[in-house]
Amino acid sequence: MKTNRIAALVGLALILSSTPAVLADDTTEIGYVDQAALSALPQFTAARAQLDSYGANLQKQYIARARNASQAEQQKLSAEFQQQIADKQRQVLGPIFSRAQIAIASVASSKNLSIVVDKQIIIVGGTDITQAVKDLLTGVGDPVPPVNTPPPSTVGYVDQTQIDAIPAIKAAATDFQKFKADQDQQAAAKFRSAKTQADRDAIMTAYQKALTDKQNQTLKPLVDKTEAAMASVAQKRGLTLVVDRGNVIYGGTDITADVTSALK
């Protein structure tokens, strides 16, 4: 778990509840793409090299201009250069990503797939369309968008960023982060005065217990409530699987609005 945010806990609960469906035999509507393999294609590697060079030049400019600048001016310069990098990324990668999306949609449509996800979340089953997508991206001419929209899917997804923005969840996450920061300071102070390994082990045990207790008090009830809301919406919509929006490349059934409504 990368962080102790509510998003990580909710995401974990979502993954655990979804795993059995991933292994089911009735998910033939699911396709998957190895995005790492796509990123190794020449157009992607060339784009990354171009962005790396652009970023290196911007960094040199920032260092030169920020050397004698005030802190406020440095912050302004940093924001300016970050915006320039973001604009360059959209300029360089935007058309390539758009072309890849069209290729994925075209292959998915030809195979009657209702959703395409990242390979990383597939354990067993699904239809691998990576090679077909690569063939379109490396072939002559541009991929042609499918005529039809994706068929109705029994695989749903939620946008975790919108779940995070719900006031009660956001407040709980902020409360936990403040608590953790305080516990970090206390544990660090105790470590500095600890004389034995046994003392340090005891400090770490107490620290971990404090965080776990706080999670159970402030975050777990929301995790349980969120998981129950997802399960209820999925059942009403006839879904066999719910995943995070970040893993969906094409298609799927968006239940974010239904889940956030149930949680407010």
Side-chain angles (χ1 to χ4, degrees), residues 99-174:
R99 194 166 182 268
Q101 285 286 345
I102 292 173
I104 291 168
S106 178
V107 173
S109 179
S110 70
K111 295 181 180 294
N112 202 36
L113 302 174
S114 66
I115 186 170
V116 177
V117 299
D118 185 73
K119 179 184 178 181
Q120 292 185 2
I121 70 167
I122 296 292
I123 301 174
V124 175
T127 300
D128 186 356
I129 64 171
T130 305
Q131 188 57 52
V133 173
K134 289 173 65 176
D135 290 343
L136 279 181
L137 290 175
T138 55
V140 179
D142 291 327
V144 179
V147 175
N148 300 320
T149 58
S153 178
T154 60
V155 179
Y157 63 85
V158 292
D159 184 342
Q160 191 61 58
T161 59
Q162 293 188 41
I163 302 295
D164 292 347
I166 294 174
I169 292 178
K170 188 175 182 179
T174 299

Side-chain angles (χ1 to χ4, degrees), residues 15-135:
I15 291 169
L16 291 175
S17 65
S18 301
T19 299
V22 173
L23 298 175
D25 293 330
D26 60 353
T27 55
T28 54
E29 65 171 299
I30 300 176
Y32 65 87
V33 169
D34 184 348
Q35 296 194 88
L38 295 186
S39 69
L41 291 174
Q43 54 264 55
F44 283 99
T45 55
R48 287 197 300 273
Q50 183 180 350
L51 288 173
D52 288 344
S53 176
Y54 183 81
N57 287 332
L58 272 186
Q59 185 176 28
K60 291 178 182 178
Q61 294 177 37
Y62 173 80
I63 292 173
R65 293 176 59 183
R67 185 173 292 116
N68 298 318
S70 66
Q71 184 175 359
E73 291 171 335
Q74 289 177 358
Q75 291 176 347
K76 184 178 179 180
L77 280 174
S78 178
E80 175 187 329
F81 287 158
Q82 288 296 328
Q83 185 61 53
Q84 290 182 40
I85 290 175
D87 291 342
K88 189 68 173 180
Q89 286 177 333
R90 284 191 291 271
Q91 176 190 345
V92 174
L93 292 176
I96 300 175
F97 282 139
S98 177
R99 194 166 182 268
Q101 285 286 345
I102 292 173
I104 291 168
S106 178
V107 173
S109 179
S110 70
K111 295 181 180 294
N112 202 36
L113 302 174
S114 66
I115 186 170
V116 177
V117 299
D118 185 73
K119 179 184 178 181
Q120 292 185 2
I121 70 167
I122 296 292
I123 301 174
V124 175
T127 300
D128 186 356
I129 64 171
T130 305
Q131 188 57 52
V133 173
K134 289 173 65 176
D135 290 343

